[in-house]
Amino acid sequence: MTLLVALTWDPKPWVERFRKVLPDRDIVVLGEGFDKSRVEYVATWGPKPGSLSGLPSLRALFSLGAGVDHLMSYPDLPDVPIVRVAQDDLTHRMSEYVVMHCLMHLRDQHRFDEDQRAKRWQPDRAPPIAGDVRVGIMGFGVLGQDAARKLKVMGFDVAGWSRTAKNVEGFEIYSGEDGLSAFLARTDILVSLIPLTPDTSGILSRSLFQKLAHDGRLGGPVLINAGRGKLQVETDILACLDDGTLKAATLDVFEVEPLPQDSPLWTHPRVTISPHNAATSEPEATARYIADQIRRHEAGEALENIVDRARGY
Ligand code: NDP
Ligand code: OXD
C-alpha cells in the first residue's frame, strides 16, 4: 500500500510522521517519482489541480484538517470517501481558543491593554461575570459542542445553532433559517464554527450582526470567527465596529489569507487577530489518527468522519 502526501505546505514533517506510524508502507510525495497505480490513500490539504488524477487504486482521501472546503472546490475530485480530521488534539485546541477569547471579551481585556500602554489605573467597579453573558455557537458539531461544554464550566450561558435540529443535553439548540433570528437575539458573543459551504458563504454580514442582542452586559455584541474567512464580509465587520453594531471581534480566519498588509483589520483597536491557527492539525496526532483509520479500513471496518459531499462538510 502506498500513501501519497499531497500538500501545499512543506510535506517533510508529515512524511516523517507517516513513516513513523506506518513503517511497513510506502509514503510518497508529489514531485518525486512513484508508482501511481499503487496509491491507495492520499493525505492532502489544498491539492494542486491534477495532483489527485490517475490513481486507479485510490480507496480514500484524508483531509489534513477538519474543514474540507479546500477539497470541495477541487475540479475532478476522485469519487472515493473523504475523511476529515475529527479528533481530540484538534478539538481541544479549538476549545482553548474559544474559551480564551470569550474570557478576554468578558473581562474587557482590550481596554486594560490600552490602559496599560497609557499607564492609566481604571478598575471596573461592577464587571459582568460569565453567567451574565450569552454565548451563541454557530455550528454545533464536533468543535462547537466541545467548546460549548467548556464555556459552560466557566459559567457562560451557552446556546447553539445548527443546520438540522438536534438534542444535546444541557443546551438550547436552534436550527436552520427558522431558528436563526431567535438564536441571534439571545447572543452577546457569537462564535462561528460553521463550515464554508454555498449556504454559509458571506453569512457573517451586517444583516446578521444587526440581529444580535444589543441589550447585553458587554455593551454590544462581539464576534469570534474561527470557522472560515469566506463566511465573513470584512467591510461589514469594519463598518459595524465603527457604528457600534459590533463592539469587538476576534478573527482567526480571513477572506484572503495571509491577511493582506493593507487590511484595516490589522490595526483596528477592537479587533484581535490570529493567523488561522485557532486549532492547527498537529502532525504527530493527525498522522496517528489517519494511520488508525487506514488499519481499520484494511481490516474491513468502516472509515469514520466521512464527509457528505452533497452537504459540503
Ligand atoms: P462539524 O461538521 O462537526 O460541525 C459543523 C456544524 O455546522 C454542524 O453543527 C452543522 O449542522 C453546522 N452547519 C453546517 N452548515 C450549516 C448551515 N447551513 N446552517 C447552520 N448550521 C450549519 O465540523 P467541525 O465542528 O469539526 O468543524 C467546523 C469548522 O471549523 C470546519 O469546517 C472548519 O471550517 C473550521 N475549523 C477551523 C480551524 C481553525 O484553525 N480556524 C480548525 C478546524 C476547523 P448539523 O449538525 O445540522 O450538520
Ligand atoms: C482545519 C483548519 O479545517 O485548520 O482543520 O482550518
Side-chain angles (χ1 to χ4, degrees), residues 127-302:
I129 57 168
D132 298 327
V133 173
R134 298 159 293 181
V135 179
I137 303 199
M138 277 185 109
F140 216 62
V142 173
L143 301 181
Q145 288 182 37
D146 192 70
R149 280 190 289 273
K150 289 169 182 166
L151 287 166
K152 199 168 173 176
V153 171
M154 295 306 305
F156 286 101
D157 176 1
V158 187
W161 182 67
S162 56
R163 193 177 57 85
T164 55
K166 52 171 56 58
N167 285 315
V168 178
E169 206 186 322
F171 297 98
E172 188 166 3
I173 302 171
Y174 300 78
S175 62
E177 270 302 310
D178 293 349
L180 183 58
S181 295
F183 164 76
L184 296 171
R186 52 80 58 214
T187 294
D188 300 312
I189 300 181
L190 179 68
V191 177
S192 154
L193 285 173
I194 39 175
L196 177 65
T197 68
D199 289 339
T200 61
S201 179
I203 191 170
L204 301 174
S205 67
R206 175 178 281 281
S207 59
L208 181 141
F209 303 143
Q210 282 169 334
K211 293 182 186 158
L212 289 164
H214 283 80
D215 59 351
R217 288 292 311 276
L218 297 182
V222 168
L223 167 69
I224 298 177
N225 183 14
R228 279 291 179 269
K230 287 192 167 59
L231 298 170
Q232 74 200 14
V233 180
E234 287 169 11
T235 49
D236 282 7
I237 293 176
L238 284 159
C240 286
L241 285 166
D242 291 342
D243 70 13
T245 306
L246 286 175
K247 182 190 174 201
T250 287
L251 305 174
D252 182 56
V253 287
F254 301 91
E255 287 175 14
V256 176
E257 294 179 5
L259 181 62
Q261 286 294 306
D262 61 357
S263 169
L265 290 169
W266 281 113
T267 49
H268 196 289
R270 276 170 291 118
V271 175
T272 303
I273 282 175
S274 49
H276 194 151
N277 73 339
T280 48
S281 293
E282 193 277 321
E284 189 90 28
T286 312
R288 246 184 287 117
Y289 164 80
I290 292 174
D292 287 348
Q293 290 246 32
I294 289 177
R295 280 198 211 90
R296 282 203 302 270
H297 191 228
E298 289 181 337
E301 290 175 43

Side-chain angles (χ1 to χ4, degrees), residues 45 64-68 85 90 227-228 276 279-281:
W45 185 267
L64 286 185
V68 291
V85 176
L90 185 146
R228 279 291 179 269
H276 194 151
T280 48
S281 293

